[in-house]
Amino acid sequence: MTNQNLILITGATGYVGGRLVPKLLEAGYRVRCLVRDPSRLQGRSWLNQVEVINGDVLSAESLAEAMKNVSVAYYLIHGMQGGKVNAERDLQAARNFAQAAEDANIERIIYLGELVDPTANLSPYLRARHETGYILRYGKVPVTEFRAGMIVGSGSALFEMIRYLTEREPVLICPAWFYSQAQPIAIRDVLSYLIDTLKTPDSNGRVIEIGGPTRLTYAEMLLGYAKERDLHRWLIPTPFNAPRLSAYWVHMITPIHWRIVAPLIEGLRAKLVVRDDTAKKIFPQIHPIDFQTAAHLALGRIQRDNVETSWSDALVVSMGDFKPYQFTVEEGMFIERRQILLDLKPEDVFRAYTGIGGERGWLYMDWSWAIRGWMDKAIGGVGLRRGRRHPDEIYTGESLDFWRVESVDKNRLMRLRAEMKLPGKAWLQFESTPQDDKTLLTVTAYLAPYGVPGFLYWYAMWPFHKFIFDGLARQLASRARVLAHSY
């Protein structure tokens, strides 16, 4: 195919898709992205170079629109949506996609599947990933299916799991799955296969297993990372697999939710190794790097704050027309608002509040946020440890500790949606509103309570909000002043 052909990407907000798009653009291809929520692409440097279609693979109508004039479609969707596995939903999505591709008469589908032994006792998630490939191939459009195991890269679930366990646990009690073999592959090599296949006719209609050059156990990967960081770690093997208990343990120690960890553990039990050399024959120009090199490169990106992807208005008011503190109940929603008028530019205030969380912390009573995070972890929530992808940049759709960035309006607003467990829905919104030559900083907490537990939760937390959010607003103002004089 030529570089002028139009390529459709599904999963552009995901880990692999978010990195594949800029690589295709660099190679000169025209790209269209099918996403359910276009706002999640805001802030991407390549957004104005692609066409964005708002749609869902479960909707035949939106798929038909997305497939128009497309030559090749990448299927990079998997079913961990909402943290729950729904195998039939995944398979229906694949059926819809295959039919839409056939109706649009596109040339090829490229699918990134899972490298597992299909004869093993697979979890519903891994089984659905495998069967998705069969459904796509059952249609009339030729399919190239790459099967990859564990992907190593800055921000990948596997690498973050290894990094946090190794950094935080000098002694690890290791279940049996720690010693199952896998063949991890660097994200850069996965992208090379996905792009090079466009100009490799022999890959059309093939199932191609891809992996790194060496087979390693998960224990060896941990020790490899420890070597890279010059850390000494001791592993104590046990004969038990205990996948669910292991997932909960990793959930408590790392930023990764147990529902995401569980498929990784299931995959290790199924041995994620390459069983044929088709990839070497069809792509002799690709020489995958080993785990140690991949870990070194990933760690370097993290240390340079150069992570590309990783695992979410008010009207202007007059200067004298605001109150420092307001509490209202509107349509059953509790709203608590704090405001400070600053002799600063909106961009300085914006930089202050978009830089909170992660390693920098929450500026005031940071220990209280940590306690809330541990409480959330203890009841199965996401906890505070997810951190943030970059200390200063923030995109819509990213995770920020136990929040999801729901909206970012440059120099004006950042709205966070709570993902911790609580009896209702909650948001925390920051605004920097111009007021002649000043800026009004507004911090607003919202709660839409669920029944009586929601009301009790709000009134139990309200006294703490008085100290925490008052202090947060003051510290944000102080940080904004520092930033204003830092350049």
Side-chain angles (χ1 to χ4, degrees):
M1 66 175 292
T2 69
N3 288 27
Q4 296 305 308
N5 292 91
L6 181 61
I7 295 176
L8 176 67
I9 304 285
T10 60
T13 58
Y15 181 73
V16 176
R19 299 194 180 204
L20 179 62
V21 171
K23 293 293 184 184
L24 289 170
L25 293 171
E26 288 174 14
Y29 292 101
R30 296 190 300 127
V31 176
R32 174 185 290 164
C33 300
L34 173 66
V35 293
R36 291 187 301 166
D37 183 3
S39 68
R40 292 191 62 191
L41 294 178
Q42 293 300 318
R44 305 299 174 96
S45 59
W46 42 261
L47 181 58
N48 62 355
Q49 302 175 58
V50 302
E51 180 186 349
V52 178
I53 297 287
N54 183 2
D56 192 327
V57 288
L58 291 172
S59 166
E61 294 78 11
S62 61
L63 274 176
E65 178 66 22
M67 292 282 186
K68 287 181 180 178
N69 303 316
V70 166
S71 296
V72 175
Y74 283 89
Y75 195 82
L76 304 177
I77 297 170
H78 61 88
M80 291 300 290
Q81 299 171 12
K84 297 181 179 180
V85 177
N86 189 329
E88 181 52 41
R89 180 187 176 95
D90 297 342
L91 299 181
Q92 185 58 52
R95 294 185 194 101
N96 291 351
F97 197 83
Q99 185 60 54
E102 182 178 328
D103 294 342
N105 197 31
I106 74 168
E107 298 173 12
R108 179 159 50 143
I109 295 171
I110 300 172
Y111 170 56
L112 181 61
E114 203 79 28
L115 179 62
V116 292
D117 180 0
T119 64
N121 183 22
L122 301 179
S123 67
Y125 167 75
L126 290 177
R127 178 65 63 187
R129 293 279 281 152
H130 223 61
E131 291 179 357
T132 293
Y134 289 113
I135 289 173
L136 293 174
R137 292 196 303 276
Y138 187 76
K140 295 181 180 179
V141 176
V143 175
T144 299
E145 179 181 348
F146 289 101
R147 292 180 178 173
M150 293 187 163
I151 298 177
V152 183
S154 55
S156 74
L158 168 69
F159 186 73
E160 291 300 287
M161 185 171 151
I162 290 172
R163 182 164 74 98
Y164 278 92
L165 286 178
T166 309
E167 296 280 356
R168 293 175 172 170
E169 295 286 312
V171 179
L172 291 103
I173 308 298
C174 304
W177 58 264
F178 264 60
Y179 300 94
S180 295
Q181 283 195 329
Q183 209 159 332
I185 182 170
I187 180 61
R188 62 180 56 205
D189 293 322
V190 174
L191 295 174
S192 293
Y193 282 114
L194 290 173
I195 293 171
D196 284 12
T197 189
L198 294 172
K199 293 188 175 181
T200 308
D202 288 348
S203 65
N204 207 5
R206 305 290 294 271
V207 175
I208 304 168
E209 297 182 343
I210 56 177
T214 53
R215 294 184 177 184
L216 299 169
T217 65
Y218 188 75
E220 289 171 328
M221 292 181 227
L222 284 171
L223 294 175
Y225 178 89
K227 179 181 178 182
E228 189 65 34
R229 292 280 288 115
D230 197 25
L231 299 171
H232 298 285
R233 294 295 180 260
W234 291 266
L235 308 184
I236 302 175
T238 68
F240 309 106
N241 263 309
R244 180 60 66 90
L245 181 61
S246 297
Y248 287 142
W249 166 57
V250 174
H251 171 87
M252 294 301 296
I253 300 299
T254 78
I256 309 172
H257 197 278
W258 71 268
R259 292 189 185 277
I260 296 174
V261 172
L264 292 175
I265 295 174
E266 290 288 347
L268 277 168
R269 294 176 63 197
K271 292 187 178 181
L272 308 177
V273 296
V274 175
R275 294 171 175 79
D276 66 58
D277 60 354
T278 301
K280 290 182 180 179
K281 293 177 180 177
I282 297 179
F283 301 96
Q285 76 279 13
I286 298 178
H287 303 283
I289 59 177
D290 58 43
F291 173 81
Q292 202 67 37
T293 303
H296 175 79
L297 294 171
L299 189 59
R301 276 187 171 272
I302 291 171
Q303 292 171 341
R304 294 192 305 273
D305 297 322
N306 188 26
V307 181
E308 292 178 68
T309 58
S310 183
W311 4 331
S312 299
D313 292 322
L315 296 173
V316 175
V317 296
S318 62
M319 284 182 57
D321 195 24
F322 70 91
K323 298 178 180 179
Y325 175 79
Q326 291 176 292
F327 172 72
T328 58
V329 179
E330 298 178 13
E331 297 181 354
M333 181 180 290
F334 294 125
I335 303 172
E336 201 173 352
R337 180 174 290 113
R338 288 158 176 85
Q339 297 180 312
I340 301 176
L341 191 63
L342 301 171
D343 190 13
L344 299 171
K345 297 178 180 178
E347 51 264 37
D348 297 322
V349 180
F350 179 80
R351 288 174 62 203
Y353 60 69
T354 55
I356 59 176
E359 294 297 325
R360 185 174 287 124
W362 288 81
L363 305 184
Y364 184 77
M365 292 180 66
D366 205 46
W367 55 269
S368 66
W369 295 85
I371 290 174
R372 181 65 178 88
W374 272 108
M375 291 171 59
D376 191 54
K377 279 272 190 180
I379 58 174
V382 296
L384 195 66
R385 282 183 166 158
R386 292 187 304 183
R388 51 183 295 156
R389 177 189 57 85
H390 189 281
D392 298 308
E393 296 177 358
I394 199 76
Y395 295 155
T396 299
E398 286 190 308
S399 62
L400 197 164
D401 293 335
F402 44 45
W403 306 90
R404 179 72 55 181
V405 183
E406 189 172 82
S407 180
V408 177
D409 189 349
K410 187 172 177 61
N411 296 332
R412 291 190 63 248
L413 174 145
M414 177 175 73
R415 183 166 58 250
L416 307 177
R417 184 180 74 250
E419 292 194 331
M420 74 285 277
K421 286 183 176 293
L422 46 76
K425 294 182 179 180
W427 294 264
L428 185 59
Q429 182 166 290
F430 304 86
E431 297 164 85
S432 40
T433 308
Q435 299 287 297
D436 294 335
D437 58 345
K438 301 179 186 296
T439 299
L440 181 65
L441 167 64
T442 305
V443 180
T444 309
Y446 301 86
L447 176 71
Y450 288 160
V452 174
F455 285 87
L456 294 176
Y457 174 85
W458 176 267
Y459 286 112
M461 295 300 296
W462 182 78
F464 300 101
H465 287 178
K466 171 63 179 172
F467 295 103
I468 294 172
F469 290 132
D470 280 358
L472 175 60
R474 291 195 303 269
Q475 290 301 313
L476 284 173
S478 177
R479 174 169 161 74
R481 294 186 188 101
V482 171
L483 290 172
H485 295 92
S486 64
Y487 59 94

